[in-house]
Amino acid sequence: LNYFAFNSFRFLIKGGLAGAAVYVAYDQGLLGSGIEGAEALKKAQETLPPAIQGWTDYLGWEVRAAQLPPPPKFDFSLSASWNKGVHRVMSALSVAPTRACEYTVEGWKYVKDLVK
């Protein structure tokens, strides 16, 4: 009975953490459009260094600004990447019937050569 209760408790904690993570991601706009995601990333880049400095001050660690690496700069457009992926998939789907016919003809030729 204790083992079952312990596993149930662990499952509830993990489920609660996962649900909270999804809620925070949704609340911050990370699950929205690419523009909302870019705004959330910009907000995080502005907020993170002061937050790290606040925690280091609270914990008593001496961290100089020169020791902290600069936040990474992302030059990545989610919408452009999405559109590029959609174009590639549609291009592959548009040539799929032609390629299927070509591969079928080659397969029949191969089978005929084996039978001879």
Side-chain angles (χ1 to χ4, degrees):
L1 183 66
N2 277 340
Y3 183 71
F4 176 72
F6 178 71
N7 280 341
S8 300
F9 185 67
R10 276 183 35 192
F11 176 75
L12 290 174
I13 289 176
K14 288 180 181 181
L17 289 174
V22 170
Y23 173 75
V24 168
Y26 176 77
D27 187 49
Q28 295 298 318
L30 296 175
L31 300 178
S33 68
I35 295 169
E36 291 173 348
E39 290 172 1
L41 178 63
K42 183 179 175 185
K43 186 167 57 169
Q45 288 175 339
E46 293 170 354
T47 309
L48 194 59
I52 291 173
Q53 187 63 42
W55 274 102
T56 56
D57 291 345
Y58 177 74
L59 296 173
W61 296 341
E62 184 179 337
V63 177
R64 295 185 188 110
Q67 290 177 340
L68 290 175
K73 304 223 186 257
F74 294 106
D75 187 24
F76 176 74
S77 172
L78 187 60
S79 61
S81 297
W82 175 264
N83 290 340
K84 187 175 180 181
V86 169
H87 285 294
R88 285 191 178 181
V89 167
M90 290 302 147
S91 174
L93 289 175
S94 68
V95 297
T98 306
R99 295 290 166 100
C101 289
E102 291 173 2
Y103 292 148
T104 303
V105 169
E106 288 179 19
W108 277 113
K109 285 181 184 177
Y110 179 75
V111 169
K112 286 180 184 178
D113 290 341
L114 284 178
V115 173
K116 286 184 183 178

